Amino acid sequence: MQIQWKPDKSKSDYIQDQIIQYFKAKISSGSWPVGTRLPSERKLAEQFEVNRSTISHVLDELKARGIMASYGSKGTYVFNNTWSLMQQPDWNRHIESSLYKPNHKMIQQINKYEFQEGIIRLGTGELSPDLFPKDIMKALLIEASESVLALGYEENLGQLKLREAISQHLTTLNIKASPDQILITSGALQALHLISIGLLQFGSNVYVESPSYLKSLYTFQSAGMRLQGIPMGNEGLDVDQLRSIYKRKEGNLLYTMPTFHNPTGIVMSDENRLKLMELVNAYQIPVIEDDAYRALWLDTPPANPLKSLDPNGHIIYVGTLSKTFAPGIRVGWVTGPQTVIERLGDLKMQLDYGTSSLSQFVALKWFEHGYHELYGADLRAKLLDRRNHMVAALKRHMSPYGKWEVPTGGFYIWFVLNKKINSSVLFERALKNNILLNMGHIYDFKENHALRLSYAYASKSEIDQGIEIISRLIQAL
Amino acid sequence: MQIQWKPDKSKSDYIQDQIIQYFKAKISSGSWPVGTRLPSERKLAEQFEVNRSTISHVLDELKARGIMASYGSKGTYVFNNTWSLMQQPDWNRHIESSLYKPNHKMIQQINKYEFQEGIIRLGTGELSPDLFPKDIMKALLIEASESVLALGYEENLGQLKLREAISQHLTTLNIKASPDQILITSGALQALHLISIGLLQFGSNVYVESPSYLKSLYTFQSAGMRLQGIPMGNEGLDVDQLRSIYKRKEGNLLYTMPTFHNPTGIVMSDENRLKLMELVNAYQIPVIEDDAYRALWLDTPPANPLKSLDPNGHIIYVGTLSKTFAPGIRVGWVTGPQTVIERLGDLKMQLDYGTSSLSQFVALKWFEHGYHELYGADLRAKLLDRRNHMVAALKRHMSPYGKWEVPTGGFYIWFVLNKKINSSVLFERALKNNILLNMGHIYDFKENHALRLSYAYASKSEIDQGIEIISRLIQAL
C-alpha cells in the first residue's frame, strides 16, 4: 500500500487527530476494506514525518476502538468498518454498562400504549379525565395568576406554607409532623427514589407485600436493592412471615401499603396493624408506609395510618396528590424523623433542585381552600359508582373464569384467574383488540394468573365493552 | 435477679416480641442499669415457659442491636441503654451507609442562608425577583386556566407539543433534533442525574473544565463517578490537555459549558470549538454540552452550540428555562441520539414519572408566543445594566485586591484574588455582615482564591453595599 498523504504540520498539535481522521476516512469510504494490512509503524512514521511513538499511539487508539487489530508481530490490519463504530461513541455500550436497570418490558409497553388513541385502559392507575376537577383547577390558576409569583429556587424542603398545610392535613390523620419534618417531592415515586439513594445501601433488602406494585417499578432494584416478597392475606401482610424472614442490617426495611393496597385493594385490619407495630417496635424495623390511596374510601373511612401509631420514629410516611387530585401536578410529600427528612431534602438538591413552584402553589391552595376534603367527597361518590359498575360487569362476564374481592377503596380490583394462562399472550391479544391490561405477574414474586383491573380510568361503556372482550379472550385461551 | 413477669400465651405468636419489649422496658426505665447481668438462658426459658431457642433468638436480637452483650460463656448483661438505640431504627447508620454523598458543607450552608431575611446574595445563580416577567406569567396562567387541562401522567419524554416547540427553538441554533430526540426534564440538573445513572458506570471519569460549577454539585460524584479537571484559558478548555489525559472507556465523557461558562463567564472561541470537535470526532468522545446561559449574551450573540457541529451524535445537549425565565418552573430539556434519549426517558419513569404538566403547559406557551425571544431581549438589556453596575463597583472598591474579566454574557464575574486568603474565614465574616458569598474553591480542583460574583440577583444598591463591605473584609484579612 502506498500512502501519499501527510499531516499538515502547520497545525502542529493536531497531528495525531489528523492521522486518525485520515485512517477513518480511508476505511469508511471503502478504500481500505476489512483485512487491509497497514505499512509498518516505521514506514508510517517516515511517510508522515512523525515520531514512531505518535504512530503507536494512533494505532493503539484505533485498536482499542475495535477498528484495527494486530497479527501479533506481523503488523496491523483493518478489522471492522461499521459506520457507527467509526463515527459515534458506542452509546449502547454506555447504556449497558451503566448503573440503572431499564424498566420491565411490559411496563415499557404499557407506558407507550397508554398514549395510543382509541385504546381502552382497563388497568390504569390514574383518574379518568372525566374525574378531573376542571372548575377547581380553573379557580386555582386564576388565583395563581393574581398572585405575585417570583418562582425562584425554593427552600430545600419545599415551600414553607405548603409544608404547613400538609402538616395541618396530617393532624387529621393523627400524625404529628412539624413542617421541618416534611419534604415536598415530585410525586410519591420521587420519595422512594430519594430513600433508595439516601438511606439504603447496595444489597439492602426491601421487604414488601407480595404482590406489590413496587415490584413493577424498579426504583429500588435499579439502585441495587433486593425486593423480598411477604405473603399477604385479607388482613394485609403476614406479620409472622415478616418476623421469620426479616434480617437486621443497615439499609434493610419494610415497604408497605396497608390501606387500599396496590394492586390487591386490601386494607390491613386493625388487629394486624397493632401486631405489625409491635414487631416494628420490638425489632426496630424501619418502615416506609405508602398511603397514596387513603382518601379514596368507598364504604367506610379506613383506620388511621400506621404512622399515627409510631411515636418512636420508625416510619417514613409517603403521601401524594396524584390519586386524589391529578398526577400531572407532581406533588407528593414524605414525613419522618427530622434527620431523615433533612437527608432526603439535601439529596433532592442533587437530583432536580426542588419541585415546580407552580405545582406547589396550586397544591397549597388546594389544601387551604379545603378542596382536599370537598373534592374528595365528590370523587368518592363517583368512584363508588364506577366500582359498582365494574363489579356488575365482572359478574356478568367473568364469573366462570376467576375470583375477586370487592375493594372498599382505591382504584383496583385484583382478579385472580381459576386456571393458568399465558400472561403475555393474553396481553398481546387484548392489545390487538385495543385493550390495555396490567397483567398481575409484573407485580408478583411468584407465578401468578391475575389481572389488576382499574375502575378509575376507563369510561363505563369502555368497562362494559372491555370486560366482555377480555372474557372472550380468556375463554379462547 | 428475680423476674416475675411472663409473656401472655393467649397471643401465642407474639412471644418473642413480648419478651423483647419487656426487656427494653426494664432497661429504658432504669430498672436494669448498664452492667446488669441477666439470668441464664435456661432460667429465662423456665421463667417465661418457652423454648430455649426462643430465648436465644431474643438475646441474639438484642445483642445485634448493641443493647446487650455477652461475657463469653458467663452470660449476658445490659450493655447500652441509650434511648434512641432502644427505641428507634438507627437512622444515622442508615444515612452513613447509603449510596449518595451529602452535599458540600458550604453548599448546604448557602442553600440554607439564601432563605434568610435581609441577606445580600452576591453569588446567587438566579435572576432577581425584580427580573421575573410577572405580566407574562399572569397572561400564561390565565391562558392555562381557560384551557381544559386534564393533568394526567404524561408521555415518557414529556408533552409532545412542548417537545415540538423546543425542536423548533433548537433549529434557531442550527441544531436538528426531532421531538422524539428530546426529553423534558425537571431542570437541566435532572438531565445530569439521568445521565449519571443511565449512561455512566461506577468509576467513570467525567472530564470537566477546571473550575466548573459541576464540581460543587455532587450529582456525578454521588453516583460514583470521578470528576477530572481540565485547565481552561480565555478561549475555553485546553483541548491539548484533554487529548493527553482523556482515557477511552465506556462511561467516560466530557462535560463542558462552552458558552458563558459557570463560574468564569468564559466563551470558548470559534477556533477552539473546531479544535475540540476535531478531537471529539477523532477519539469518538461522548460529550455533555450544558448551554444554560446561551440566551443571556450582553454584547454580541455567541457562536452556535457545539451540538450544531455534531452530525455524528457525540453530543448530548442540555438546555433550561431556569436562567432565562424562572427556575421555579423546573423545565429543562436534553437532546441527543435517539437511543440515548429513550434510555433517559425510560429511567425518568423510575425517578418521578414525568415533569409537572402545569410547568410544561406554561413552558409551551412561553415558546409558542415567542416570549423566549421577546423577553430575552428585555432581560439582556437589564442584565447588561447590572453587569456594568457591578463592574463599576468592583473598580471602585476591589481593584487593589484582585483581577477579573468583564463577562460578555451569563450571570457571573470570576474575581481572582491577588493573595491567598482563608476562604472559610472570609465566607463566615461576610455572613456576619449579612452577605452570602459563593467562594471559588467549591468549584475548583486545586486551591483557588476566587469569588463567583453574580450581578443577576442582588439589587444595585445591595451590590454597592455588598462589594464595599467585602473589600473591607478582604483588606482586613
Side-chain angles (χ1 to χ4, degrees):
Chain A
M1 178 200 298
Q2 284 295 326
I3 295 177
Q4 303 301 334
W5 177 88
K6 284 182 202 306
D8 179 354
K9 295 270 178 153
S10 67
K11 3 180 209 167
S12 65
D13 40 22
Y14 295 91
I15 290 177
Q16 284 182 24
D17 303 355
Q18 287 181 47
I19 299 173
I20 289 175
Q21 289 293 56
Y22 171 76
F23 283 172
K24 280 169 51 172
K26 283 295 181 190
I27 295 166
S28 58
S29 68
S31 305
W32 296 357
V34 167
T36 304
R37 278 188 65 174
L38 260 64
S40 69
E41 290 191 11
R42 189 182 48 77
K43 283 192 185 155
L44 286 170
E46 280 173 19
Q47 164 62 24
F48 294 157
E49 295 166 17
V50 298
N51 290 332
R52 269 193 66 173
S53 64
T54 303
I55 299 295
S56 261
H57 192 94
V58 163
L59 295 181
D60 285 351
E61 176 60 30
L62 291 168
K63 286 178 208 164
R65 227 177 293 174
I67 294 170
M68 296 202 178
S70 301
Y71 288 121
S73 59
K74 290 180 191 162
T76 304
Y77 67 104
V78 177
F79 182 72
N80 193 324
N81 63 1
T82 311
W83 186 87
S84 65
L85 191 67
M86 299 290 297
Q87 303 299 344
Q88 275 198 324
D90 191 348
W91 289 114
N92 284 328
R93 283 179 69 184
H94 274 262
I95 289 170
E96 281 156 22
S97 65
S98 69
L99 298 171
Y100 272 43
K101 292 170 66 162
N103 279 307
H104 192 295
K105 278 250 164 78
M106 193 175 275
I107 294 287
Q108 290 181 334
Q109 280 183 287
I110 290 171
N111 286 339
K112 185 177 131 207
Y113 283 110
E114 281 181 344
F115 295 93
Q116 189 171 294
E117 287 234 359
I119 203 114
I120 296 179
R121 294 158 63 171
L122 273 193
T124 294
E126 180 180 344
L127 290 173
S128 159
D130 296 346
L131 299 176
F132 179 70
K134 291 189 188 66
D135 295 340
I136 296 175
M137 192 67 198
K138 182 170 183 164
L140 295 176
L141 287 170
I142 288 171
E143 190 173 351
S145 75
E146 284 159 4
S147 304
V148 183
L149 289 170
L151 293 191
Y153 289 109
E154 300 283 352
E155 283 183 78
N156 252 8
L157 300 180
Q159 287 177 10
L160 178 59
K161 281 191 175 176
L162 176 56
R163 287 185 284 125
E164 285 168 351
I166 289 169
S167 168
Q168 192 56 38
H169 162 68
L170 291 173
T171 61
T172 67
L173 309 176
N174 252 335
I175 294 173
K176 279 187 203 153
S178 58
D180 53 7
Q181 285 179 287
I182 293 169
L183 169 67
I184 308 299
T185 57
S186 300
L189 176 58
Q190 191 181 48
L192 303 184
H193 178 55
L194 285 165
I195 290 167
S196 75
I197 61 177
L199 297 174
L200 310 190
Q201 54 185 295
F202 204 87
S204 295
N205 289 327
V206 175
Y207 299 90
V208 54
E209 286 109 354
S210 171
S212 170
Y213 101 113
L214 201 66
K215 184 72 177 0
S216 70
L217 273 185
Y218 284 23
T219 298
F220 287 105
Q221 294 97 311
S222 270
M225 287 100 219
R226 280 188 298 262
L227 296 194
Q228 293 232 16
I230 313 278
M232 68 186 306
N234 284 336
E235 307 226 326
L237 73 85
D238 185 331
V239 176
D240 295 328
Q241 283 286 330
L242 174 62
R243 180 189 297 106
S244 71
I245 70 169
Y246 179 78
K247 290 205 184 72
R248 159 168 310 282
K249 188 186 141 204
E250 282 82 54
N252 286 3
L253 52 64
L254 171 69
Y255 168 94
T256 180
M257 217 183 219
T259 307
F260 310 131
H261 174 262
N262 178 1
T264 65
I266 289 171
V267 180
M268 189 180 258
S269 69
D270 290 4
E271 197 187 347
N272 209 25
R273 284 172 193 247
L274 292 173
K275 185 169 166 181
L276 175 61
M277 288 312 294
E278 196 158 340
L279 178 72
V280 160
N281 278 297
Y283 285 64
Q284 293 166 228
I285 300 177
V287 180
I288 306 170
E289 180 180 19
D290 186 337
D291 211 13
Y293 294 90
R294 158 161 304 275
L296 305 171
W297 52 270
L298 303 179
D299 300 319
T300 50
N304 278 332
L306 295 174
K307 182 69 187 161
S308 68
L309 308 169
D310 176 45
N312 296 327
H314 292 85
I315 296 181
I316 302 173
Y317 178 84
V318 178
T320 176
L321 289 185
S322 295
K323 306 302 177 186
T324 37
F325 179 7
I329 197 137
R330 305 312 301 130
V331 169
W333 51 89
V334 51
T335 183
Q338 200 171 340
T339 45
V340 169
I341 296 305
E342 281 172 4
R343 164 70 171 163
L344 302 182
D346 183 49
L347 289 187
K348 188 158 157 61
M349 302 304 265
Q350 292 180 27
L351 303 196
D352 66 6
Y353 241 96
T355 289
S356 162
S357 305
L358 218 47
S359 288
Q360 291 192 59
F361 181 87
V362 168
L364 168 64
K365 296 299 168 186
W366 171 262
F367 280 110
E368 276 189 358
H369 297 320
Y371 290 129
H372 199 63
E373 287 71 32
L374 283 171
Y375 185 67
D378 193 21
L379 191 56
R380 283 192 289 274
K382 288 174 181 161
L383 271 180
L384 178 64
D385 181 44
R386 284 169 158 267
R387 181 201 68 183
N388 293 343
H389 192 84
M390 185 175 256
V391 168
L394 289 175
K395 281 186 182 157
R396 265 199 315 280
H397 301 293
M398 297 280 271
S399 294
Y401 310 117
K403 284 190 291 288
W404 67 92
E405 298 285 331
V406 177
T408 60
F411 287 175
Y412 310 111
I413 296 177
W414 184 241
F415 184 88
V416 182
L417 289 151
N418 291 332
K419 294 189 181 156
K420 287 192 184 188
I421 49 141
N422 184 322
S423 264
S424 305
V425 172
L426 180 57
F427 178 78
E428 291 297 340
R429 290 197 186 164
L431 260 190
K432 278 195 193 126
N433 285 274
N434 276 326
I435 295 170
L436 187 60
L437 289 178
N438 288 47
M439 303 306 300
H441 74 276
I442 59 180
Y443 306 106
D444 215 341
F445 293 81
K446 50 186 199 305
E447 208 185 345
N448 97 17
H449 304 93
L451 300 172
R452 185 186 85 171
L453 298 170
S454 162
Y455 43 84
Y457 195 86
S459 68
K460 285 190 189 176
S461 65
E462 285 177 334
I463 288 174
D464 288 338
Q465 192 189 340
I467 296 283
E468 191 188 344
I469 294 171
I470 293 301
S471 74
R472 279 193 274 112
L473 295 176
I474 292 173
Q475 192 183 23
L477 276 166
Chain B
M1 178 199 299
Q2 285 295 327
I3 295 178
Q4 304 301 336
W5 176 88
K6 284 184 203 303
D8 179 352
K9 296 270 180 154
S10 67
K11 1 179 211 169
S12 64
D13 39 23
Y14 295 90
I15 290 176
Q16 284 184 22
D17 304 354
Q18 288 181 48
I19 300 173
I20 289 176
Q21 289 294 58
Y22 172 75
F23 283 171
K24 279 167 53 171
K26 283 294 178 191
I27 297 166
S28 58
S29 68
S31 306
W32 296 356
V34 167
T36 304
R37 278 189 64 174
L38 261 63
S40 70
E41 290 191 10
R42 190 182 47 78
K43 283 193 184 154
L44 287 169
E46 281 173 19
Q47 165 63 25
F48 295 156
E49 295 168 16
V50 298
N51 291 331
R52 269 192 66 173
S53 64
T54 303
I55 300 295
S56 262
H57 191 94
V58 164
L59 296 181
D60 284 350
E61 176 61 29
L62 291 168
K63 287 178 207 163
R65 228 178 293 174
I67 295 170
M68 297 204 177
S70 301
Y71 288 123
S73 59
K74 290 179 191 161
T76 305
Y77 66 105
V78 177
F79 182 72
N80 193 323
N81 63 2
T82 311
W83 186 86
S84 64
L85 191 68
M86 299 288 298
Q87 303 299 345
Q88 277 198 322
D90 191 348
W91 289 115
N92 284 329
R93 283 180 68 184
H94 274 262
I95 289 170
E96 282 155 22
S97 65
S98 69
L99 299 172
Y100 271 43
K101 291 169 69 162
N103 280 307
H104 192 296
K105 278 249 165 77
M106 193 174 276
I107 293 287
Q108 290 181 334
Q109 279 182 288
I110 290 172
N111 287 339
K112 185 177 131 206
Y113 284 110
E114 281 181 345
F115 295 93
Q116 189 171 294
E117 287 233 359
I119 202 115
I120 297 178
R121 295 158 63 172
L122 273 193
T124 295
E126 181 180 344
L127 289 173
S128 160
D130 296 346
L131 299 177
F132 179 70
K134 291 188 188 66
D135 295 340
I136 295 176
M137 193 66 196
K138 182 170 184 166
L140 293 177
L141 286 170
I142 288 172
E143 189 173 353
S145 76
E146 284 159 3
S147 304
V148 182
L149 288 170
L151 293 190
Y153 289 109
E154 300 283 351
E155 283 183 77
N156 252 9
L157 299 181
Q159 286 177 10
L160 178 59
K161 281 190 174 176
L162 177 55
R163 289 184 283 124
E164 285 168 351
I166 289 169
S167 169
Q168 191 58 36
H169 161 68
L170 291 173
T171 60
T172 67
L173 309 176
N174 251 336
I175 294 173
K176 277 186 204 155
S178 58
D180 53 7
Q181 285 179 286
I182 294 169
L183 169 68
I184 307 300
T185 56
S186 300
L189 176 57
Q190 191 180 48
L192 302 184
H193 179 55
L194 285 165
I195 290 168
S196 75
I197 61 177
L199 296 175
L200 310 191
Q201 53 185 296
F202 204 87
S204 294
N205 290 326
V206 175
Y207 299 89
V208 53
E209 286 109 355
S210 169
S212 170
Y213 101 113
L214 200 66
K215 184 72 177 3
S216 71
L217 273 185
Y218 284 24
T219 299
F220 288 106
Q221 293 98 310
S222 270
M225 286 101 219
R226 281 187 298 262
L227 296 195
Q228 294 232 15
I230 313 279
M232 67 186 306
N234 285 335
E235 307 227 324
L237 74 85
D238 185 331
V239 176
D240 295 327
Q241 283 285 331
L242 174 61
R243 180 189 297 105
S244 71
I245 71 169
Y246 180 79
K247 290 206 184 71
R248 159 168 309 284
K249 188 185 140 204
E250 282 83 54
N252 287 2
L253 51 65
L254 171 69
Y255 169 93
T256 181
M257 219 184 218
T259 307
F260 310 132
H261 174 262
N262 178 1
T264 64
I266 289 169
V267 180
M268 188 180 259
S269 68
D270 290 3
E271 196 188 347
N272 208 26
R273 284 172 194 247
L274 292 174
K275 185 169 165 180
L276 175 61
M277 288 312 294
E278 196 158 339
L279 178 72
V280 160
N281 277 298
Y283 285 64
Q284 293 166 228
I285 300 176
V287 179
I288 306 170
E289 180 180 20
D290 186 339
D291 211 14
Y293 295 90
R294 156 161 307 274
L296 305 171
W297 52 270
L298 302 179
D299 300 318
T300 50
N304 278 332
L306 294 175
K307 182 69 186 162
S308 68
L309 307 170
D310 176 44
N312 296 327
H314 291 86
I315 297 181
I316 303 174
Y317 178 85
V318 178
T320 176
L321 289 185
S322 294
K323 305 303 175 185
T324 37
F325 178 7
I329 197 136
R330 306 311 301 128
V331 169
W333 51 89
V334 51
T335 183
Q338 200 171 341
T339 45
V340 169
I341 295 306
E342 280 172 4
R343 165 69 170 163
L344 302 181
D346 184 49
L347 289 186
K348 187 158 158 60
M349 302 305 264
Q350 293 179 28
L351 303 196
D352 67 6
Y353 241 97
T355 290
S356 161
S357 305
L358 218 48
S359 287
Q360 290 192 59
F361 181 87
V362 168
L364 168 64
K365 296 300 168 185
W366 171 263
F367 280 111
E368 275 189 358
H369 297 319
Y371 290 128
H372 199 63
E373 285 72 33
L374 283 170
Y375 185 67
D378 193 22
L379 190 56
R380 283 192 290 273
K382 289 174 180 161
L383 271 180
L384 177 65
D385 181 45
R386 285 169 156 267
R387 180 200 69 183
N388 293 343
H389 192 85
M390 184 175 258
V391 168
L394 289 175
K395 281 186 181 155
R396 265 199 314 280
H397 301 292
M398 297 280 272
S399 294
Y401 311 117
K403 285 191 289 289
W404 67 92
E405 298 285 331
V406 177
T408 59
F411 286 175
Y412 309 112
I413 296 178
W414 184 241
F415 183 87
V416 182
L417 289 150
N418 291 332
K419 293 188 181 158
K420 286 191 183 189
I421 51 141
N422 185 322
S423 265
S424 305
V425 172
L426 180 57
F427 179 79
E428 291 297 339
R429 291 197 186 163
L431 259 189
K432 277 194 194 127
N433 285 274
N434 276 325
I435 296 170
L436 188 59
L437 289 178
N438 289 46
M439 305 305 301
H441 73 276
I442 59 179
Y443 306 106
D444 214 343
F445 292 81
K446 51 187 197 305
E447 208 185 345
N448 95 18
H449 304 93
L451 300 173
R452 184 186 85 170
L453 297 170
S454 162
Y455 42 85
Y457 195 86
S459 68
K460 285 189 189 177
S461 65
E462 286 177 334
I463 289 175
D464 289 338
Q465 193 190 340
I467 296 283
E468 190 187 347
I469 294 171
I470 294 302
S471 73
R472 280 192 275 113
L473 295 176
I474 292 173
Q475 192 183 22
L477 276 166

